[in-house]
Amino acid sequence: MMRILEKSSVLLPVVVILALLSMLGHGAYNHLADSDPLGLSYRGSVLETTLNTLVIVGSATTISAPIALLSSILFLETSTSSSDSGRSFARIMRRIMEVGASLPRLVWGVAGAVLFGSLFGLGVSAATGIAALACMMVPIMFNSFVDGLLSADRMYRPQLSALGIDANHAVRSVQFRAAMPALVASTIMAVGRGLGDAAVLLLTSGVSFVILSGLNESASPLAVQIYVLTMDIGGGRGEAMLAAVILLALTSIVQGLVLFIQPIDRHDRS
Amino acid sequence: MPALKPSWRMVLIFGVGLIPPITVIALVLLLAIRAVPAFQTVEIGMMLSASWAPETGAFGVLPLLVGTVFCAFLSTIACVLVGVPAAVSLAFFASTSERRVSILVLTVLASLPSVLVGLFCLELVARYIGLSVASGVIALFLMTWPSFTLVLYARLRQQGGQIVDAARALGIPERKAVYRLVFQKIRGDLTLAATFTLGKGAGEAMAVSFVIGNVPHAGFLPALFEGAHTLTTMVLKNHGAASGEHLGMVYVAILILGALIVFINVLGAFLASKLMKNR
């Protein structure tokens, strides 16, 4: 009985991915056969929202990665300091960032709309979306960066101390080189989360399927386009399928990069 | 990393590094401030009532909270029932090629955007069982089960190998050793993975909103094969059009959601640490 359950539960992921691929492939093929979805229309095209996605997620990553990195350095500096207050500060900082990472994307969307849209006066625009998305990505990156840097710190600090290299920046320099794969993989994973995000961007950057011409204008990424075309626009299911295929391809490329940098099953390969 | 002059280095690290924690605190405080007017105008009794109908001034958020927990709980049970045998099989009994393919596919599924899962459920699940809580639970299951299985698989590989080897040497059946002895050892990790899955399920909005029907349900507990609202789907659908008291209640709902997820995660960490100590 358990064997049957084990075998069928191992097969389930393969069945789900095949069903998903055939559903998307069939829907996108039918849409391509029926119309000219890449051509400009009154409501924009999948090509334009793909570019919007890359611009919004790229900008949010450019903002959030250095901030998360400096924040994780601050955490390491204080957590390895000799003073009790420094270590307490690091503990509190880590807890706050863990809470931030555990908050649902919807909370970040609503909070981003209030802070950047209302209080800062950016309204429903690409700028609000980028800022809210960057805010959501920072805690995710921070926690991964800290884990990567701490494991490198544990690996190299005793050796460097034994060699008499005590200067903090020397330790950090070695630590950063050792942690680089983890840092890059964490950033790419956060990009993957950003690419698929719809909750934050639906509430902050609004609905517009044409390519953004300024940061103060609304611009939808692929994920929002899929949601709106499916749920709110009659007859939009075919175009949503095409957008879904492109989104799946983008997230698969991102996931492939992560697996290339950090293979999951290293143990099995050795 | 090039060495910076100490003063500039400290200014840069402290100046920029403090932004994220301050932002997290500021955003939570901002939502709390926005929710205050709703607490002043809507009575607590009304918030705890069984009806969510903003057009008539009924703002009972309790059914939405119950609906959220109900859907997340059912999907977590499904995750455990499907994820545990899958993780056991992958960790101890599957062939190398079977393991590699399954883990690769699970990794791809774990990184799927929620809109793709929602679209998939709308096309292939809701077509047969309708826009209902059951469809929403399946959507949540598909969102959370791959990560749950991968986390459990990693823990089983890490903790269970020696126990299974010892059981083999002692002539104890392998499956008995895994399900009795290894799970005794990793019950803290299992609890943590399950509560994390529960929290993730409670916070999911997009995938569920595709298929759950997005209509307020009658009574506190939603029926399995009828449409319903959760806290997340209500916020998603109401945020853009709400104003006044209604908007205030949307902020109350989002605060409740955030508090619920933090509570679930803290409870999970507490239970896991207790179980790990009693190992």
Side-chain angles (χ1 to χ4, degrees), chain A residues 2-3 6-7 9-10 13 71 77 97 102 104 106 108 114 227 230-231 237 244 248 255 264 267-268, chain B residues 9 17 20 27 82 86 98-99 102 105 107 111 116 122-123 157 175 179 206 209 232 237 251 261 265:
Chain A
M2 277 319 284
R3 279 176 198 218
E6 284 168 11
K7 281 283 173 199
S9 57
V10 167
S71 211
E77 296 279 352
M97 297 304 277
S102 72
L106 192 65
W108 285 106
V114 172
Y227 183 78
T230 309
M231 302 297 285
R237 194 76 62 91
L248 181 63
Q255 200 59 39
I264 325 167
H267 183 72
D268 285 353
Chain B
R9 190 171 178 269
L27 289 179
V82 177
E98 207 176 17
R99 176 160 53 234
S102 288
V105 175
T107 310
S111 64
L116 293 190
L122 187 66
E123 287 287 317
R157 290 281 288 183
R175 280 192 168 71
Y179 285 105
M206 302 306 284
S209 74
T232 54
K237 289 289 170 188
Y251 292 126
I261 287 160
N265 287 341

Side-chain angles (χ1 to χ4, degrees), chain A residues 2-3 5-7 9-17 19-20 23-24 66-68 70-75 77-78 89 93 96-97 99-100 102-116 118-119 135 138-139 168-169 172-173 176-177 192 195-199 202-203 222-224 226-227 230-232 237 240-241 243-245 247-248 251-252 255 259 264-265 267-269, chain B residues 1 3-4 9-10 12-14 16-25 27-28 30-31 34 81-83 85-90 93-94 96 98-109 111-117 119-124 141-143 145 150 153 157 175 179 203-206 209-211 214 231-233 235-237 239-240 250-251 254 257-259 261-262 265:
Chain A
M2 277 319 284
R3 279 176 198 218
L5 200 59
E6 284 168 11
K7 281 283 173 199
S9 57
V10 167
L11 272 178
L12 186 62
V14 180
V15 173
V16 171
I17 199 89
L20 176 74
M23 179 204 86
L24 291 179
I67 294 175
L70 285 168
S71 211
S72 56
I73 295 171
L74 175 63
F75 171 80
E77 296 279 352
T78 48
F89 170 81
M93 186 177 174
I96 292 170
M97 297 304 277
V99 168
S102 72
L103 287 177
R105 287 181 270 200
L106 192 65
V107 175
W108 285 106
V110 173
V114 172
L115 181 66
F116 302 109
S118 300
L119 282 186
C135 284
V138 167
N168 232 2
H169 69 80
R172 294 274 175 261
S173 170
F176 267 85
R177 272 179 213 147
L195 282 175
D197 183 80
L202 180 67
L203 299 176
L222 283 166
V224 172
I226 294 166
Y227 183 78
T230 309
M231 302 297 285
D232 299 336
R237 194 76 62 91
M241 291 282 185
V245 169
L247 184 58
L248 181 63
T251 48
S252 299
Q255 200 59 39
L259 289 177
I264 325 167
D265 228 352
H267 183 72
D268 285 353
R269 288 171 195 214
Chain B
M1 191 182 125
L4 298 172
R9 190 171 178 269
M10 293 315 285
L12 189 65
I13 290 173
F14 270 89
V16 182
L18 279 174
I19 293 173
I22 291 172
T23 308
V24 173
I25 295 170
L27 289 179
V28 173
L30 197 60
L31 288 176
R34 289 286 172 128
L81 291 177
V82 177
V88 167
S89 179
L90 290 174
F93 306 120
T96 308
E98 207 176 17
R99 176 160 53 234
R100 280 190 186 161
V101 170
S102 288
I103 288 176
L104 184 67
V105 175
L106 279 169
T107 310
V108 171
L109 287 175
S111 64
L112 274 185
S114 50
V115 284
L116 293 190
V117 175
L119 192 59
F120 175 76
C121 289
L122 187 66
E123 287 287 317
L124 298 181
F141 166 75
L142 289 175
M143 282 297 298
W145 140 79
L150 286 172
Y153 159 77
R157 290 281 288 183
R175 280 192 168 71
Y179 285 105
E204 179 50 47
M206 302 306 284
S209 74
F210 270 87
V211 289
N214 304 314
L231 284 169
T232 54
T233 59
V235 171
L236 196 62
K237 289 289 170 188
H239 182 260
V250 170
Y251 292 126
I254 205 83
L257 178 69
I261 287 160
V262 171
N265 287 341

Side-chain angles (χ1 to χ4, degrees), chain A residues 175-191:
Chain A
Q175 198 180 352
F176 267 85
R177 272 179 213 147
M180 197 49 84
L183 300 182
V184 174
S186 308
T187 308
I188 297 171
M189 271 196 278
V191 170

Side-chain angles (χ1 to χ4, degrees), chain A residues 24-140:
Chain A
L24 291 179
H26 182 252
Y29 175 78
N30 282 348
H31 182 64
L32 283 169
D34 291 346
S35 62
D36 176 23
L38 295 178
L40 293 173
S41 66
Y42 71 97
R43 64 182 185 208
S45 70
V46 173
L47 191 62
E48 288 176 272
T49 45
T50 305
L51 291 172
N52 284 349
T53 309
L54 297 176
V55 170
I56 290 172
V57 177
S59 308
T61 310
T62 311
I63 295 168
S64 56
I67 294 175
L69 187 62
L70 285 168
S71 211
S72 56
I73 295 171
L74 175 63
F75 171 80
L76 285 177
E77 296 279 352
T78 48
S79 66
T80 52
S81 76
S82 52
S83 72
D84 284 344
S85 56
R87 287 198 297 273
S88 305
F89 170 81
R91 259 200 308 277
I92 294 168
M93 186 177 174
R94 186 82 203 253
R95 292 282 168 271
I96 292 170
M97 297 304 277
E98 279 173 353
V99 168
S102 72
L103 287 177
R105 287 181 270 200
L106 192 65
V107 175
W108 285 106
V110 173
V114 172
L115 181 66
F116 302 109
S118 300
L119 282 186
F120 289 180
L122 296 174
V124 177
S125 65
T128 307
I130 291 167
L133 192 61
C135 284
M136 188 205 79
M137 288 163 86
V138 167
I140 299 168

Side-chain angles (χ1 to χ4, degrees), chain A residues 48-53 56 126 201-202 205-210 212 217-225 228:
Chain A
E48 288 176 272
T49 45
T50 305
L51 291 172
N52 284 349
T53 309
I56 290 172
L201 295 170
L202 180 67
S205 70
V207 178
S208 168
F209 303 153
V210 291
L212 87 152
E217 288 175 11
S218 290
S220 298
L222 283 166
V224 172
Q225 187 184 25
V228 174

